[in-house]
Amino acid sequence: VKGGRIMKLWIRSQDRARILKCEKLYIQVLNGEFHILNENEFPLGIYETRERALEVLDEIQEYISNNYAEVFEMPEE
């Protein structure tokens, strides 16, 4: 919350095809890959290791904490 309003994070998907307003993110393992999904189970990014997926969640957390931007773009592998 900044200035009395709730901050909403927009995230551009890794394939750059969509920008989605996200409230919840989580990692799910599918076919040996680590997918970052939003609350609607839309895949935002796919990574080879759990460590890399956690690094990306750390980057998103930093964006939220510092309010650098309202749109976060999912990085490539």
Side-chain angles (χ1 to χ4, degrees):
V1 177
K2 186 167 185 156
R5 66 184 177 96
I6 296 173
M7 300 297 294
K8 302 222 173 164
L9 182 66
W10 290 87
I11 297 181
R12 187 170 190 169
S13 61
Q14 190 177 49
D15 66 3
R16 304 181 55 77
R18 295 188 182 172
I19 296 177
L20 303 164
K21 189 184 303 184
C22 299
E23 293 183 21
K24 298 175 186 174
L25 302 172
Y26 64 96
I27 297 170
Q28 183 175 32
V29 181
L30 299 166
N31 300 321
E33 297 176 314
F34 295 83
H35 295 236
I36 296 179
L37 307 173
N38 71 354
E39 64 275 9
N40 296 319
E41 298 186 2
F42 182 83
L44 297 166
I46 302 170
Y47 302 95
E48 290 184 18
T49 66
R50 181 177 187 275
E51 291 74 22
R52 178 62 180 139
L54 287 171
E55 286 175 0
V56 173
L57 286 182
D58 288 344
E59 289 179 41
I60 294 169
Q61 179 180 344
E62 187 171 329
Y63 263 75
I64 293 168
S65 296
N66 296 313
N67 192 28
Y68 287 139
E70 292 185 21
V71 175
F72 181 88
E73 190 168 326
M74 296 299 287
E76 293 295 326
E77 189 58 36

